[in-house]
Amino acid sequence: MQECRGAEAEIGLEVFFTDSPGIGGRLKQTPEDFIVDEISLPPAEDDSGSYSIAKVTSQNWETNRLVRELSKTLRISRDRIGFAGTKDKRGITSQLMSFQASVDDVRNLNLHQISISDVYRSKKPLTIGDLIGNKFIIKCRNSALSKDEIQASISQTESQLSELGGFPNFFGVQRFGAVRPVTHLVGKWIAKGDLEKAVMTYVANPMPSEGDDTREARAQLELDGDFERALEYYPKTLTFERMMVGYLVRNPGDYAGSIEILPPNLQMMFIHAYQSYLFNKMLSERIRLDLPLNKPVIGDVVLPVDRSGLPDHDHGVPTTENNIDLVERQVKKGKAFISSVLFGTDSTFSEGTPGEIERKIIEEEKLSSSDFMIPLIHQCSSKGSRREILGTISDMESRVLDDCTLFSFSLNKGCYATVVLREFMKNGTLMDYS
């Protein structure tokens, strides 16, 4: 275990599990450096259905903005477009999407850096969660090490992760915003009931990593709080910020309404990001205390796998003195996963040392379960859940080339490729993964 002293620690990524030297480098120098192919559960084909299903391949499109552009072009509401999971902006991603539109209209879509293929009809739309995982092909560039040094480092890291049986299943930087890691802070202020601070954290709050135009615009609004004037100089690229600012011009003081004007999945993301930050801190502390990630201890809550072989996040089984032998066997066989809490209104803590870790983090944040009931913004309320602390890696391969190191592997849904690669790179900075 190594402590992480970089910017990652600010989003709860406080440690590295492996103690091997990192190869350094940067990801996503070009879109072709980060290729994601969704492993999904396609709806059955049925010519009598009202949905068009299509494979959508996009380059450098964040999912919310992609859906916004598709709905605008097809002249249908965002609610009539379905997808199984959100994807990173930087890179080339392929995913299934559903549209309440004709097959011809979907097939004839012609948008910049977006291609449509494999269109068919179905009675069932795509919804969040209708996927199994993602396959990644990723290039890491600009390492300062020699090829032999890179290979030696990779071999050492791979050996330690293989012995573990996976990787620490942190939420990656994309959950919080690699350029502006503020999503969890917005969620924090929503949970704390300070909606004005939540809004200003999102629309203002300049950061050094931004471009000059957006940083200066945010700084000016933070200085004078003049929303009407901000509409004159806020860059058009700040789509959602402009939506919120415009709403506050029309509805002064209605900060809840300015959040509700955002896409529902983005509203939910604020609270989910805060829960993710808390989870990351809990997992960091578990690693720091040298509690195993691949072997349950008394007090752990384990998640049995469902029919797809994925953890059932809503039906945990407590580990006790009476069942620990059975639970250990199930975890070892890959039929159950050790979990930690994603804290919400209905959450219960683990027991024993795992529960002490969970309680400590929640107490440090001065939270109670009722904080996650948000009556003014229904989409932001969260019952909570649990998440596996160990992610599994399938088909892992790596090759050291003259101009990059090439990694390919598959992960279950909800797992982050950048979290796997940070164990190899060990940079500790958010921008290295953006």
Side-chain angles (χ1 to χ4, degrees):
M1 187 273 290
Q2 296 183 42
E3 292 283 342
C4 177
R5 304 296 183 185
E8 288 181 297
E10 297 179 9
I11 56 173
L13 293 163
E14 300 170 349
V15 298
F16 299 104
F17 177 83
T18 56
D19 58 13
S20 53
I23 67 172
R26 291 286 303 273
L27 304 180
K28 304 182 183 180
Q29 297 294 280
T30 71
E32 292 77 14
D33 286 353
F34 202 91
I35 298 175
V36 187
D37 195 0
E38 189 176 83
I39 306 168
S40 53
L41 298 168
E45 184 172 357
D46 190 322
D47 290 339
S48 66
S50 58
Y51 298 95
S52 294
I53 311 298
K55 182 177 181 179
V56 180
T57 300
S58 60
Q59 177 175 312
N60 289 348
W61 277 92
E62 186 271 332
T63 302
N64 279 302
R65 286 178 165 80
L66 172 61
V67 171
R68 180 184 176 90
E69 187 65 24
L70 290 169
S71 69
K72 177 182 173 182
T73 305
L74 288 169
R75 298 183 180 180
I76 59 176
S77 73
R78 296 172 57 98
D79 295 339
R80 294 176 180 270
I81 299 177
F83 52 92
T86 58
K87 299 292 183 286
D88 299 342
K89 176 182 177 180
R90 284 190 59 79
I92 298 175
T93 66
S94 295
Q95 63 188 120
L96 284 183
M97 302 184 80
S98 63
F99 306 86
Q100 280 192 285
S102 73
V103 166
D104 287 341
D105 285 348
V106 173
R107 187 178 287 125
N108 292 331
L109 280 167
N110 184 17
L111 296 167
H112 180 59
Q113 296 183 326
I114 299 172
S115 64
I116 307 294
S117 61
D118 304 334
V119 187
Y120 67 92
R121 301 294 288 177
S122 177
K123 287 185 175 181
K124 185 174 180 286
L126 268 294
T127 60
I128 290 290
D130 284 345
L131 75 158
I132 297 173
N134 295 283
K135 179 173 178 57
F136 300 89
I137 301 175
I138 301 171
K139 294 177 181 177
C140 176
R141 300 184 186 274
N142 301 340
S143 173
L145 304 182
S146 69
K147 291 176 69 173
D148 287 344
E149 289 171 328
I150 292 172
Q151 187 58 66
S153 173
I154 288 175
S155 297
Q156 191 175 345
T157 303
E158 284 183 339
S159 176
Q160 292 182 32
L161 293 181
S162 177
E163 184 178 350
L164 176 64
F167 65 99
N169 195 28
F170 290 113
F171 286 93
V173 297
Q174 302 93 322
R175 187 75 158 184
F176 311 95
V179 177
R180 292 186 75 241
V182 300
T183 312
H184 64 302
L185 299 177
V186 178
K188 174 180 180 176
W189 295 120
I190 291 174
K192 298 282 188 180
D194 193 336
L195 300 184
E196 179 179 1
K197 193 161 188 177
V199 169
M200 292 303 287
T201 298
Y202 188 72
V203 302
N205 187 26
M207 293 195 166
S209 52
E210 294 184 85
D212 291 343
D213 56 341
T214 59
R215 186 174 63 250
E216 291 168 4
R218 295 185 196 277
Q220 184 61 46
L221 179 58
E222 191 166 79
L223 179 67
D224 62 25
D226 189 334
F227 293 113
E228 187 167 2
R229 182 165 171 262
L231 280 180
E232 299 175 5
Y233 60 78
Y234 252 54
K236 301 293 186 184
T237 53
L238 299 181
T239 309
F240 297 127
E241 288 89 339
R242 288 180 61 87
M243 287 171 59
M244 297 173 76
V245 168
Y247 181 90
L248 287 168
V249 170
R250 300 187 300 273
N251 304 275
D254 185 5
Y255 295 101
S258 71
I259 295 172
E260 285 191 305
I261 202 172
L262 296 173
N265 65 319
L266 181 53
Q267 295 177 47
M268 290 188 290
M269 183 61 72
F270 293 138
I271 286 294
H272 290 174
Y274 187 40
Q275 293 169 318
S276 302
Y277 164 76
L278 300 172
F279 176 92
N280 280 356
K281 289 184 70 68
M282 293 171 189
L283 181 49
S284 291
E285 185 66 8
R286 182 173 180 126
I287 295 171
R288 194 178 282 117
L289 294 177
D290 201 27
L291 285 185
L293 307 185
N294 57 0
K295 183 178 181 180
V297 299
I298 291 174
D300 269 324
V301 175
V302 299
L303 308 175
V305 299
D306 60 19
R307 293 180 179 178
S308 300
L310 300 175
D312 183 344
H313 297 123
D314 298 318
H315 297 93
V317 177
T319 304
T320 66
E321 290 183 358
N322 294 328
N323 70 2
I324 188 166
D325 290 341
L326 171 62
V327 171
E328 279 186 10
R329 290 196 296 272
Q330 293 296 92
V331 169
K332 188 174 182 179
K333 292 178 182 177
K335 294 184 177 181
F337 290 80
I338 305 164
S339 71
S340 192
V341 70
L342 289 169
F343 192 66
T345 58
D346 294 355
S347 292
T348 56
F349 292 115
S350 303
E351 297 295 333
T353 304
E356 292 173 6
I357 293 171
E358 294 172 355
R359 288 182 174 88
K360 172 189 173 185
I361 301 303
I362 297 304
E363 288 171 2
E364 287 176 349
E365 289 285 308
K366 298 181 172 59
L367 291 168
S368 67
S369 57
S370 61
D371 291 330
F372 290 82
M373 176 63 71
I374 320 291
L376 292 177
I377 314 172
H378 174 70
Q379 294 285 354
C380 289
S381 295
S382 176
K383 293 181 179 181
S385 183
R386 300 195 70 88
R387 175 178 172 87
E388 63 274 24
I389 61 174
L390 185 69
T392 56
I393 311 172
S394 302
D395 306 317
M396 180 76 182
E397 294 183 5
S398 62
R399 282 190 291 155
V400 183
L401 306 177
D402 290 337
D403 61 340
C404 69
T405 302
L406 180 67
F407 295 91
S408 65
F409 50 87
S410 297
L411 302 177
N412 288 345
K413 68 178 181 180
C415 298
Y416 290 78
T418 53
V419 170
V420 176
L421 293 177
R422 72 183 290 271
E423 293 287 343
F424 290 90
M425 297 166 67
K426 293 190 174 68
N427 288 331
T429 63
L430 302 178
M431 290 300 292
D432 291 316
Y433 308 113
S434 68

